[in-house]
Amino acid sequence: MAGLSSRLITLLLLFTTLSPTLAAPSSGCGKGPTLRNGQTVNTNINGKSRQYSLRVPDNYNQNNPYRLIFLWHPLGGSMQKIIQGEDPNRGGVLPYYGLPPLDTNKKAIYVVPNGLNAGWANQNGEDVSFFDSMLQSVSDGLCIDTNLVFSTGFSYGGAMSYSLACSRASKVRAVAVISGGLLSGCAGGNDPVAYYAQHGTSDQVLNVSGGRQLRDRFVKNNGCRPANGEAQPGSGGKSTRVEYQGCQQGKDVVWVVHGGDHNPSQKDPGQSQPFAPGNTWEFFSRFN
Ligand SMILES: *[C@@H]1O[C@H](CO)[C@@H](O)[C@H](O)[C@H]1NC(C)=O
C-alpha cells in the first residue's frame, strides 16, 4: 500500500511538473459556443466603450482547446484594417498579420481589439484591463487552451504586446514584437516570457536601439546568455536571425534585425513575401 501511494504521489508530482505543457481547457470547452466567427463584441472597461472582433475557424470544435492569438494594430490603425489588411508593398500588414494561411490545421482563434484614439496608450493600465476582459470572455465563450495564449502587433501593437509580456507573463505564452517601442508601459516586467522581435536598423519612427532595449529585458528575464556583440543585417539589408542560447526551457528569445525602415512587411532581397508572418508563426508553433 505504502509503495502504491508513494508511486501515486510520484505520478502526481510528475504531472504537476509537466502541467505547463499539458492543455488547459477553458471553461468554454465542451459547451456550445456563445461567441462566433466575425462577431464584433462590445464591452465596457473603466467606463469606456471598447470593441474587439473574433476570427474562429469554420470547423470549430467545442472539444478542441484552441490557441488564442491577440492581434494589436499600429497607431492610426484599427480592428477593421487588421481584418482586411493593407497593401504590404506600402507598409501595410496582411490580413490578421498574415497568420491564418499558415495555420493549416486551423488551430487558432484570433482576437482583434480596437484601440482608443487608434492606439494603445494604456492609460492607468486600461488596455491591459481590456486584455483581461477579452481573455475572460473568450475563455468562457469558446474552447481555448489557456496555456496557449499569444500576442503580436506592429509598432504600437508591438508595444502593447511587450506591455503584456511585462504585466501578464502568467497568461501569455509568447509574444512577437514587430518594430516595437516602449509606448504602452511595462508594469512588472520581471518575469520570463518567450519573446520574438524584429526591427529595422533604418527605422525612422521607433529606432532599433529602443527595440534592442525591449529585447534585452527578456534576454535577462528568460535567463538567456547575452549575445556576443550586436547582430547586423546582411547585404542588401537581409535579415539576420539570432537565436539566444541558454534560456530557461520554453522561454526562447529570437531577435531578427534587418536593414529596413518602420515596416511590418519587410521582405528579404529576392523574396516575394514578408518574413514577419512566417517567423511569428514558427515561433508561436514551438509551444504546445
Ligand atoms: C532612440 O529613440 C529614443 C526614444 O525616442 C531616444 O531617446 C534615443 O536617443 C534614440 N537613440 C538613437 C540612437 O537615436
Side-chain angles (χ1 to χ4, degrees), residues 88-126:
N89 294 317
R90 302 181 65 189
V93 298
L94 293 166
Y96 295 93
Y97 281 105
L99 299 179
L102 305 175
D103 182 9
T104 45
N105 295 323
K106 298 185 191 296
K107 284 182 169 173
I109 291 172
Y110 300 87
V111 178
V112 188
N114 209 24
L116 293 172
N117 304 311
W120 308 106
N122 191 27
Q123 276 177 36
N124 303 315
E126 66 186 347

PDB file of all heavy atoms in Angstrom, residues 88-126:
ATOM      1  N   PRO A  88       0.820  45.457 -48.373  1.00  0.00           N
ATOM      2  CA  PRO A  88       2.132  45.208 -47.756  1.00  0.00           C
ATOM      3  C   PRO A  88       3.271  45.903 -48.503  1.00  0.00           C
ATOM      4  O   PRO A  88       4.334  46.135 -47.926  1.00  0.00           O
ATOM      5  CB  PRO A  88       2.287  43.686 -47.806  1.00  0.00           C
ATOM      6  CG  PRO A  88       1.313  43.218 -48.817  1.00  0.00           C
ATOM      7  CD  PRO A  88       0.212  44.230 -48.893  1.00  0.00           C
ATOM      8  N   ASN A  89       3.028  46.265 -49.770  1.00  0.00           N
ATOM      9  CA  ASN A  89       4.079  46.972 -50.513  1.00  0.00           C
ATOM     10  C   ASN A  89       4.121  48.451 -50.161  1.00  0.00           C
ATOM     11  O   ASN A  89       4.991  49.181 -50.625  1.00  0.00           O
ATOM     12  CB  ASN A  89       3.880  46.778 -52.021  1.00  0.00           C
ATOM     13  CG  ASN A  89       4.075  45.318 -52.398  1.00  0.00           C
ATOM     14  OD1 ASN A  89       5.001  44.665 -51.918  1.00  0.00           O
ATOM     15  ND2 ASN A  89       3.181  44.789 -53.210  1.00  0.00           N
ATOM     16  N   ARG A  90       3.149  48.893 -49.360  1.00  0.00           N
ATOM     17  CA  ARG A  90       3.139  50.286 -48.910  1.00  0.00           C
ATOM     18  C   ARG A  90       3.131  50.346 -47.384  1.00  0.00           C
ATOM     19  O   ARG A  90       2.533  51.217 -46.784  1.00  0.00           O
ATOM     20  CB  ARG A  90       1.926  51.006 -49.503  1.00  0.00           C
ATOM     21  CG  ARG A  90       1.935  50.940 -51.040  1.00  0.00           C
ATOM     22  CD  ARG A  90       0.770  51.660 -51.650  1.00  0.00           C
ATOM     23  NE  ARG A  90       0.822  53.102 -51.394  1.00  0.00           N
ATOM     24  CZ  ARG A  90      -0.167  53.947 -51.677  1.00  0.00           C
ATOM     25  NH1 ARG A  90      -1.293  53.492 -52.204  1.00  0.00           N
ATOM     26  NH2 ARG A  90      -0.033  55.224 -51.415  1.00  0.00           N
ATOM     27  N   GLY A  91       3.786  49.382 -46.768  1.00  0.00           N
ATOM     28  CA  GLY A  91       3.956  49.412 -45.313  1.00  0.00           C
ATOM     29  C   GLY A  91       2.773  48.888 -44.522  1.00  0.00           C
ATOM     30  O   GLY A  91       2.734  49.041 -43.306  1.00  0.00           O
ATOM     31  N   GLY A  92       1.808  48.276 -45.213  1.00  0.00           N
ATOM     32  CA  GLY A  92       0.649  47.721 -44.504  1.00  0.00           C
ATOM     33  C   GLY A  92       0.903  46.296 -44.047  1.00  0.00           C
ATOM     34  O   GLY A  92       1.905  45.675 -44.410  1.00  0.00           O
ATOM     35  N   VAL A  93      -0.024  45.795 -43.240  1.00  0.00           N
ATOM     36  CA  VAL A  93       0.075  44.397 -42.815  1.00  0.00           C
ATOM     37  C   VAL A  93      -0.929  43.562 -43.594  1.00  0.00           C
ATOM     38  O   VAL A  93      -1.983  44.041 -44.004  1.00  0.00           O
ATOM     39  CB  VAL A  93      -0.169  44.204 -41.292  1.00  0.00           C
ATOM     40  CG1 VAL A  93       0.877  44.940 -40.485  1.00  0.00           C
ATOM     41  CG2 VAL A  93      -1.567  44.603 -40.867  1.00  0.00           C
ATOM     42  N   LEU A  94      -0.592  42.307 -43.783  1.00  0.00           N
ATOM     43  CA  LEU A  94      -1.514  41.361 -44.406  1.00  0.00           C
ATOM     44  C   LEU A  94      -2.690  41.138 -43.454  1.00  0.00           C
ATOM     45  O   LEU A  94      -2.576  41.383 -42.249  1.00  0.00           O
ATOM     46  CB  LEU A  94      -0.790  40.039 -44.678  1.00  0.00           C
ATOM     47  CG  LEU A  94       0.311  40.120 -45.742  1.00  0.00           C
ATOM     48  CD1 LEU A  94       1.189  38.879 -45.685  1.00  0.00           C
ATOM     49  CD2 LEU A  94      -0.313  40.294 -47.122  1.00  0.00           C
ATOM     50  N   PRO A  95      -3.848  40.684 -43.966  1.00  0.00           N
ATOM     51  CA  PRO A  95      -4.986  40.411 -43.083  1.00  0.00           C
ATOM     52  C   PRO A  95      -4.562  39.513 -41.905  1.00  0.00           C
ATOM     53  O   PRO A  95      -3.829  38.535 -42.106  1.00  0.00           O
ATOM     54  CB  PRO A  95      -5.975  39.686 -43.995  1.00  0.00           C
ATOM     55  CG  PRO A  95      -5.645  40.182 -45.370  1.00  0.00           C
ATOM     56  CD  PRO A  95      -4.151  40.391 -45.377  1.00  0.00           C
ATOM     57  N   TYR A  96      -4.985  39.889 -40.720  1.00  0.00           N
ATOM     58  CA  TYR A  96      -4.664  39.124 -39.500  1.00  0.00           C
ATOM     59  C   TYR A  96      -3.150  38.867 -39.378  1.00  0.00           C
ATOM     60  O   TYR A  96      -2.709  37.790 -38.995  1.00  0.00           O
ATOM     61  CB  TYR A  96      -5.436  37.800 -39.460  1.00  0.00           C
ATOM     62  CG  TYR A  96      -6.929  37.980 -39.359  1.00  0.00           C
ATOM     63  CD1 TYR A  96      -7.715  38.020 -40.505  1.00  0.00           C
ATOM     64  CD2 TYR A  96      -7.559  38.107 -38.122  1.00  0.00           C
ATOM     65  CE1 TYR A  96      -9.096  38.206 -40.415  1.00  0.00           C
ATOM     66  CE2 TYR A  96      -8.934  38.292 -38.026  1.00  0.00           C
ATOM     67  CZ  TYR A  96      -9.693  38.345 -39.172  1.00  0.00           C
ATOM     68  OH  TYR A  96     -11.051  38.524 -39.088  1.00  0.00           O
ATOM     69  N   TYR A  97      -2.397  39.898 -39.739  1.00  0.00           N
ATOM     70  CA  TYR A  97      -0.922  39.801 -39.695  1.00  0.00           C
ATOM     71  C   TYR A  97      -0.384  38.602 -40.491  1.00  0.00           C
ATOM     72  O   TYR A  97       0.702  38.082 -40.204  1.00  0.00           O
ATOM     73  CB  TYR A  97      -0.402  39.769 -38.248  1.00  0.00           C
ATOM     74  CG  TYR A  97      -0.355  41.157 -37.606  1.00  0.00           C
ATOM     75  CD1 TYR A  97      -1.297  41.547 -36.663  1.00  0.00           C
ATOM     76  CD2 TYR A  97       0.635  42.068 -37.948  1.00  0.00           C
ATOM     77  CE1 TYR A  97      -1.270  42.818 -36.086  1.00  0.00           C
ATOM     78  CE2 TYR A  97       0.668  43.337 -37.381  1.00  0.00           C
ATOM     79  CZ  TYR A  97      -0.273  43.709 -36.454  1.00  0.00           C
ATOM     80  OH  TYR A  97      -0.228  44.971 -35.892  1.00  0.00           O
ATOM     81  N   GLY A  98      -1.165  38.146 -41.464  1.00  0.00           N
ATOM     82  CA  GLY A  98      -0.689  37.090 -42.355  1.00  0.00           C
ATOM     83  C   GLY A  98      -0.646  35.709 -41.733  1.00  0.00           C
ATOM     84  O   GLY A  98      -0.087  34.777 -42.329  1.00  0.00           O
ATOM     85  N   LEU A  99      -1.253  35.540 -40.553  1.00  0.00           N
ATOM     86  CA  LEU A  99      -1.108  34.250 -39.851  1.00  0.00           C
ATOM     87  C   LEU A  99      -2.081  33.155 -40.304  1.00  0.00           C
ATOM     88  O   LEU A  99      -1.659  31.985 -40.420  1.00  0.00           O
ATOM     89  CB  LEU A  99      -1.206  34.466 -38.336  1.00  0.00           C
ATOM     90  CG  LEU A  99      -0.129  35.394 -37.753  1.00  0.00           C
ATOM     91  CD1 LEU A  99      -0.328  35.571 -36.249  1.00  0.00           C
ATOM     92  CD2 LEU A  99       1.270  34.852 -38.025  1.00  0.00           C
ATOM     93  N   PRO A 100      -3.364  33.437 -40.555  1.00  0.00           N
ATOM     94  CA  PRO A 100      -4.289  32.328 -40.842  1.00  0.00           C
ATOM     95  C   PRO A 100      -3.873  31.395 -41.989  1.00  0.00           C
ATOM     96  O   PRO A 100      -4.017  30.177 -41.848  1.00  0.00           O
ATOM     97  CB  PRO A 100      -5.625  33.035 -41.119  1.00  0.00           C
ATOM     98  CG  PRO A 100      -5.532  34.301 -40.309  1.00  0.00           C
ATOM     99  CD  PRO A 100      -4.088  34.718 -40.434  1.00  0.00           C
ATOM    100  N   PRO A 101      -3.306  31.905 -43.102  1.00  0.00           N
ATOM    101  CA  PRO A 101      -2.915  30.958 -44.163  1.00  0.00           C
ATOM    102  C   PRO A 101      -1.819  29.989 -43.714  1.00  0.00           C
ATOM    103  O   PRO A 101      -1.644  28.932 -44.327  1.00  0.00           O
ATOM    104  CB  PRO A 101      -2.388  31.869 -45.280  1.00  0.00           C
ATOM    105  CG  PRO A 101      -2.978  33.207 -45.012  1.00  0.00           C
ATOM    106  CD  PRO A 101      -3.112  33.307 -43.514  1.00  0.00           C
ATOM    107  N   LEU A 102      -1.077  30.350 -42.659  1.00  0.00           N
ATOM    108  CA  LEU A 102      -0.005  29.469 -42.174  1.00  0.00           C
ATOM    109  C   LEU A 102      -0.547  28.423 -41.200  1.00  0.00           C
ATOM    110  O   LEU A 102       0.105  27.428 -40.910  1.00  0.00           O
ATOM    111  CB  LEU A 102       1.079  30.301 -41.484  1.00  0.00           C
ATOM    112  CG  LEU A 102       1.657  31.426 -42.360  1.00  0.00           C
ATOM    113  CD1 LEU A 102       2.634  32.282 -41.564  1.00  0.00           C
ATOM    114  CD2 LEU A 102       2.336  30.837 -43.583  1.00  0.00           C
ATOM    115  N   ASP A 103      -1.751  28.680 -40.719  1.00  0.00           N
ATOM    116  CA  ASP A 103      -2.385  27.808 -39.725  1.00  0.00           C
ATOM    117  C   ASP A 103      -3.183  26.731 -40.456  1.00  0.00           C
ATOM    118  O   ASP A 103      -4.403  26.699 -40.436  1.00  0.00           O
ATOM    119  CB  ASP A 103      -3.314  28.678 -38.848  1.00  0.00           C
ATOM    120  CG  ASP A 103      -3.994  27.892 -37.745  1.00  0.00           C
ATOM    121  OD1 ASP A 103      -3.634  26.716 -37.531  1.00  0.00           O
ATOM    122  OD2 ASP A 103      -4.899  28.465 -37.103  1.00  0.00           O
ATOM    123  N   THR A 104      -2.434  25.844 -41.108  1.00  0.00           N
ATOM    124  CA  THR A 104      -3.086  24.876 -41.997  1.00  0.00           C
ATOM    125  C   THR A 104      -3.976  23.897 -41.239  1.00  0.00           C
ATOM    126  O   THR A 104      -4.913  23.350 -41.806  1.00  0.00           O
ATOM    127  CB  THR A 104      -2.036  24.096 -42.812  1.00  0.00           C
ATOM    128  OG1 THR A 104      -0.999  23.699 -41.907  1.00  0.00           O
ATOM    129  CG2 THR A 104      -1.441  24.964 -43.905  1.00  0.00           C
ATOM    130  N   ASN A 105      -3.706  23.690 -39.958  1.00  0.00           N
ATOM    131  CA  ASN A 105      -4.545  22.770 -39.184  1.00  0.00           C
ATOM    132  C   ASN A 105      -5.683  23.470 -38.448  1.00  0.00           C
ATOM    133  O   ASN A 105      -6.365  22.862 -37.635  1.00  0.00           O
ATOM    134  CB  ASN A 105      -3.694  21.991 -38.179  1.00  0.00           C
ATOM    135  CG  ASN A 105      -2.703  21.092 -38.894  1.00  0.00           C
ATOM    136  OD1 ASN A 105      -3.027  20.521 -39.940  1.00  0.00           O
ATOM    137  ND2 ASN A 105      -1.499  20.987 -38.368  1.00  0.00           N
ATOM    138  N   LYS A 106      -5.851  24.774 -38.736  1.00  0.00           N
ATOM    139  CA  LYS A 106      -6.921  25.569 -38.124  1.00  0.00           C
ATOM    140  C   LYS A 106      -6.958  25.401 -36.613  1.00  0.00           C
ATOM    141  O   LYS A 106      -7.955  25.006 -36.018  1.00  0.00           O
ATOM    142  CB  LYS A 106      -8.281  25.201 -38.729  1.00  0.00           C
ATOM    143  CG  LYS A 106      -8.388  25.485 -40.220  1.00  0.00           C
ATOM    144  CD  LYS A 106      -9.791  25.197 -40.696  1.00  0.00           C
ATOM    145  CE  LYS A 106      -9.965  25.184 -42.202  1.00  0.00           C
ATOM    146  NZ  LYS A 106      -9.718  26.443 -42.871  1.00  0.00           N
ATOM    147  N   LYS A 107      -5.809  25.711 -36.018  1.00  0.00           N
ATOM    148  CA  LYS A 107      -5.656  25.513 -34.572  1.00  0.00           C
ATOM    149  C   LYS A 107      -5.906  26.778 -33.767  1.00  0.00           C
ATOM    150  O   LYS A 107      -5.913  26.739 -32.548  1.00  0.00           O
ATOM    151  CB  LYS A 107      -4.224  25.067 -34.269  1.00  0.00           C
ATOM    152  CG  LYS A 107      -3.933  23.624 -34.595  1.00  0.00           C
ATOM    153  CD  LYS A 107      -2.497  23.327 -34.200  1.00  0.00           C
ATOM    154  CE  LYS A 107      -2.175  21.852 -34.238  1.00  0.00           C
ATOM    155  NZ  LYS A 107      -0.741  21.634 -34.006  1.00  0.00           N
ATOM    156  N   ALA A 108      -6.011  27.918 -34.454  1.00  0.00           N
ATOM    157  CA  ALA A 108      -6.016  29.175 -33.707  1.00  0.00           C
ATOM    158  C   ALA A 108      -7.293  29.980 -33.872  1.00  0.00           C
ATOM    159  O   ALA A 108      -7.914  29.994 -34.937  1.00  0.00           O
ATOM    160  CB  ALA A 108      -4.823  30.035 -34.121  1.00  0.00           C
ATOM    161  N   ILE A 109      -7.657  30.658 -32.799  1.00  0.00           N
ATOM    162  CA  ILE A 109      -8.709  31.668 -32.785  1.00  0.00           C
ATOM    163  C   ILE A 109      -7.987  33.005 -32.618  1.00  0.00           C
ATOM    164  O   ILE A 109      -7.000  33.094 -31.865  1.00  0.00           O
ATOM    165  CB  ILE A 109      -9.697  31.403 -31.635  1.00  0.00           C
ATOM    166  CG1 ILE A 109     -10.500  30.134 -31.949  1.00  0.00           C
ATOM    167  CG2 ILE A 109     -10.612  32.600 -31.396  1.00  0.00           C
ATOM    168  CD1 ILE A 109     -11.382  29.653 -30.814  1.00  0.00           C
ATOM    169  N   TYR A 110      -8.454  34.024 -33.330  1.00  0.00           N
ATOM    170  CA  TYR A 110      -7.813  35.340 -33.288  1.00  0.00           C
ATOM    171  C   TYR A 110      -8.739  36.358 -32.645  1.00  0.00           C
ATOM    172  O   TYR A 110      -9.943  36.361 -32.919  1.00  0.00           O
ATOM    173  CB  TYR A 110      -7.459  35.804 -34.701  1.00  0.00           C
ATOM    174  CG  TYR A 110      -6.505  34.861 -35.388  1.00  0.00           C
ATOM    175  CD1 TYR A 110      -6.982  33.759 -36.107  1.00  0.00           C
ATOM    176  CD2 TYR A 110      -5.127  35.032 -35.294  1.00  0.00           C
ATOM    177  CE1 TYR A 110      -6.113  32.864 -36.716  1.00  0.00           C
ATOM    178  CE2 TYR A 110      -4.252  34.143 -35.899  1.00  0.00           C
ATOM    179  CZ  TYR A 110      -4.751  33.057 -36.604  1.00  0.00           C
ATOM    180  OH  TYR A 110      -3.881  32.170 -37.190  1.00  0.00           O
ATOM    181  N   VAL A 111      -8.151  37.218 -31.828  1.00  0.00           N
ATOM    182  CA  VAL A 111      -8.866  38.341 -31.230  1.00  0.00           C
ATOM    183  C   VAL A 111      -8.236  39.620 -31.792  1.00  0.00           C
ATOM    184  O   VAL A 111      -7.016  39.788 -31.716  1.00  0.00           O
ATOM    185  CB  VAL A 111      -8.717  38.346 -29.693  1.00  0.00           C
ATOM    186  CG1 VAL A 111      -9.423  39.551 -29.089  1.00  0.00           C
ATOM    187  CG2 VAL A 111      -9.252  37.059 -29.092  1.00  0.00           C
ATOM    188  N   VAL A 112      -9.058  40.481 -32.360  1.00  0.00           N
ATOM    189  CA  VAL A 112      -8.562  41.742 -32.922  1.00  0.00           C
ATOM    190  C   VAL A 112      -9.224  42.910 -32.196  1.00  0.00           C
ATOM    191  O   VAL A 112     -10.374  43.255 -32.462  1.00  0.00           O
ATOM    192  CB  VAL A 112      -8.860  41.826 -34.435  1.00  0.00           C
ATOM    193  CG1 VAL A 112      -8.154  43.047 -35.033  1.00  0.00           C
ATOM    194  CG2 VAL A 112      -8.437  40.558 -35.154  1.00  0.00           C
ATOM    195  N   PRO A 113      -8.502  43.513 -31.248  1.00  0.00           N
ATOM    196  CA  PRO A 113      -9.070  44.623 -30.483  1.00  0.00           C
ATOM    197  C   PRO A 113      -8.938  45.957 -31.234  1.00  0.00           C
ATOM    198  O   PRO A 113      -8.072  46.110 -32.098  1.00  0.00           O
ATOM    199  CB  PRO A 113      -8.221  44.655 -29.204  1.00  0.00           C
ATOM    200  CG  PRO A 113      -7.221  43.544 -29.324  1.00  0.00           C
ATOM    201  CD  PRO A 113      -7.177  43.124 -30.753  1.00  0.00           C
ATOM    202  N   ASN A 114      -9.786  46.879 -30.878  1.00  0.00           N
ATOM    203  CA  ASN A 114      -9.780  48.227 -31.455  1.00  0.00           C
ATOM    204  C   ASN A 114      -9.259  49.195 -30.378  1.00  0.00           C
ATOM    205  O   ASN A 114      -9.758  49.183 -29.257  1.00  0.00           O
ATOM    206  CB  ASN A 114     -11.221  48.572 -31.835  1.00  0.00           C
ATOM    207  CG  ASN A 114     -11.308  49.519 -32.997  1.00  0.00           C
ATOM    208  OD1 ASN A 114     -10.382  49.596 -33.823  1.00  0.00           O
ATOM    209  ND2 ASN A 114     -12.393  50.239 -33.075  1.00  0.00           N
ATOM    210  N   GLY A 115      -8.302  50.041 -30.759  1.00  0.00           N
ATOM    211  CA  GLY A 115      -7.680  50.928 -29.769  1.00  0.00           C
ATOM    212  C   GLY A 115      -8.438  52.225 -29.554  1.00  0.00           C
ATOM    213  O   GLY A 115      -9.129  52.705 -30.453  1.00  0.00           O
ATOM    214  N   LEU A 116      -8.293  52.811 -28.368  1.00  0.00           N
ATOM    215  CA  LEU A 116      -8.814  54.153 -28.101  1.00  0.00           C
ATOM    216  C   LEU A 116      -7.884  55.139 -28.806  1.00  0.00           C
ATOM    217  O   LEU A 116      -6.648  55.008 -28.705  1.00  0.00           O
ATOM    218  CB  LEU A 116      -8.807  54.437 -26.599  1.00  0.00           C
ATOM    219  CG  LEU A 116      -9.756  53.604 -25.729  1.00  0.00           C
ATOM    220  CD1 LEU A 116      -9.480  53.869 -24.252  1.00  0.00           C
ATOM    221  CD2 LEU A 116     -11.217  53.892 -26.070  1.00  0.00           C
ATOM    222  N   ASN A 117      -8.448  56.100 -29.523  1.00  0.00           N
ATOM    223  CA  ASN A 117      -7.638  57.052 -30.300  1.00  0.00           C
ATOM    224  C   ASN A 117      -6.666  56.309 -31.223  1.00  0.00           C
ATOM    225  O   ASN A 117      -5.538  56.756 -31.441  1.00  0.00           O
ATOM    226  CB  ASN A 117      -6.864  58.004 -29.375  1.00  0.00           C
ATOM    227  CG  ASN A 117      -7.791  58.744 -28.427  1.00  0.00           C
ATOM    228  OD1 ASN A 117      -8.800  59.300 -28.852  1.00  0.00           O
ATOM    229  ND2 ASN A 117      -7.489  58.731 -27.140  1.00  0.00           N
ATOM    230  N   ALA A 118      -7.111  55.174 -31.725  1.00  0.00           N
ATOM    231  CA  ALA A 118      -6.350  54.376 -32.688  1.00  0.00           C
ATOM    232  C   ALA A 118      -4.963  53.977 -32.183  1.00  0.00           C
ATOM    233  O   ALA A 118      -4.025  53.807 -32.974  1.00  0.00           O
ATOM    234  CB  ALA A 118      -6.253  55.101 -34.035  1.00  0.00           C
ATOM    235  N   GLY A 119      -4.832  53.832 -30.857  1.00  0.00           N
ATOM    236  CA  GLY A 119      -3.543  53.407 -30.313  1.00  0.00           C
ATOM    237  C   GLY A 119      -3.724  52.673 -28.999  1.00  0.00           C
ATOM    238  O   GLY A 119      -4.841  52.297 -28.623  1.00  0.00           O
ATOM    239  N   TRP A 120      -2.615  52.450 -28.317  1.00  0.00           N
ATOM    240  CA  TRP A 120      -2.606  51.664 -27.077  1.00  0.00           C
ATOM    241  C   TRP A 120      -1.809  52.392 -26.015  1.00  0.00           C
ATOM    242  O   TRP A 120      -0.775  51.912 -25.551  1.00  0.00           O
ATOM    243  CB  TRP A 120      -2.021  50.263 -27.342  1.00  0.00           C
ATOM    244  CG  TRP A 120      -2.700  49.596 -28.484  1.00  0.00           C
ATOM    245  CD1 TRP A 120      -2.215  49.402 -29.744  1.00  0.00           C
ATOM    246  CD2 TRP A 120      -4.033  49.056 -28.497  1.00  0.00           C
ATOM    247  NE1 TRP A 120      -3.161  48.792 -30.538  1.00  0.00           N
ATOM    248  CE2 TRP A 120      -4.280  48.562 -29.788  1.00  0.00           C
ATOM    249  CE3 TRP A 120      -5.047  48.951 -27.518  1.00  0.00           C
ATOM    250  CZ2 TRP A 120      -5.501  47.975 -30.148  1.00  0.00           C
ATOM    251  CZ3 TRP A 120      -6.256  48.372 -27.882  1.00  0.00           C
ATOM    252  CH2 TRP A 120      -6.473  47.885 -29.183  1.00  0.00           C
ATOM    253  N   ALA A 121      -2.303  53.592 -25.653  1.00  0.00           N
ATOM    254  CA  ALA A 121      -1.598  54.381 -24.645  1.00  0.00           C
ATOM    255  C   ALA A 121      -1.670  53.713 -23.274  1.00  0.00           C
ATOM    256  O   ALA A 121      -0.845  53.978 -22.403  1.00  0.00           O
ATOM    257  CB  ALA A 121      -2.177  55.784 -24.584  1.00  0.00           C
ATOM    258  N   ASN A 122      -2.663  52.842 -23.104  1.00  0.00           N
ATOM    259  CA  ASN A 122      -2.763  52.036 -21.882  1.00  0.00           C
ATOM    260  C   ASN A 122      -2.761  52.903 -20.620  1.00  0.00           C
ATOM    261  O   ASN A 122      -2.093  52.575 -19.633  1.00  0.00           O
ATOM    262  CB  ASN A 122      -1.620  51.002 -21.856  1.00  0.00           C
ATOM    263  CG  ASN A 122      -1.790  49.962 -20.776  1.00  0.00           C
ATOM    264  OD1 ASN A 122      -2.915  49.644 -20.356  1.00  0.00           O
ATOM    265  ND2 ASN A 122      -0.681  49.428 -20.296  1.00  0.00           N
ATOM    266  N   GLN A 123      -3.510  53.996 -20.681  1.00  0.00           N
ATOM    267  CA  GLN A 123      -3.572  54.906 -19.522  1.00  0.00           C
ATOM    268  C   GLN A 123      -4.111  54.191 -18.300  1.00  0.00           C
ATOM    269  O   GLN A 123      -5.173  53.571 -18.351  1.00  0.00           O
ATOM    270  CB  GLN A 123      -4.482  56.092 -19.848  1.00  0.00           C
ATOM    271  CG  GLN A 123      -3.754  57.199 -20.593  1.00  0.00           C
ATOM    272  CD  GLN A 123      -4.686  58.328 -20.972  1.00  0.00           C
ATOM    273  OE1 GLN A 123      -5.603  58.665 -20.229  1.00  0.00           O
ATOM    274  NE2 GLN A 123      -4.449  58.892 -22.138  1.00  0.00           N
ATOM    275  N   ASN A 124      -3.384  54.291 -17.212  1.00  0.00           N
ATOM    276  CA  ASN A 124      -3.744  53.617 -15.955  1.00  0.00           C
ATOM    277  C   ASN A 124      -4.021  52.132 -16.168  1.00  0.00           C
ATOM    278  O   ASN A 124      -4.870  51.550 -15.487  1.00  0.00           O
ATOM    279  CB  ASN A 124      -4.974  54.283 -15.312  1.00  0.00           C
ATOM    280  CG  ASN A 124      -4.740  55.771 -15.069  1.00  0.00           C
ATOM    281  OD1 ASN A 124      -3.677  56.146 -14.577  1.00  0.00           O
ATOM    282  ND2 ASN A 124      -5.694  56.592 -15.440  1.00  0.00           N
ATOM    283  N   GLY A 125      -3.342  51.547 -17.131  1.00  0.00           N
ATOM    284  CA  GLY A 125      -3.475  50.111 -17.371  1.00  0.00           C
ATOM    285  C   GLY A 125      -4.777  49.708 -18.031  1.00  0.00           C
ATOM    286  O   GLY A 125      -5.137  48.525 -18.052  1.00  0.00           O
ATOM    287  N   GLU A 126      -5.491  50.665 -18.664  1.00  0.00           N
ATOM    288  CA  GLU A 126      -6.822  50.335 -19.186  1.00  0.00           C
ATOM    289  C   GLU A 126      -6.786  49.355 -20.353  1.00  0.00           C
ATOM    290  O   GLU A 126      -7.746  48.602 -20.542  1.00  0.00           O
ATOM    291  CB  GLU A 126      -7.601  51.599 -19.567  1.00  0.00           C
ATOM    292  CG  GLU A 126      -7.020  52.378 -20.725  1.00  0.00           C
ATOM    293  CD  GLU A 126      -7.750  53.696 -20.969  1.00  0.00           C
ATOM    294  OE1 GLU A 126      -8.850  53.897 -20.420  1.00  0.00           O
ATOM    295  OE2 GLU A 126      -7.202  54.543 -21.706  1.00  0.00           O
TER     296      GLU A 126
END
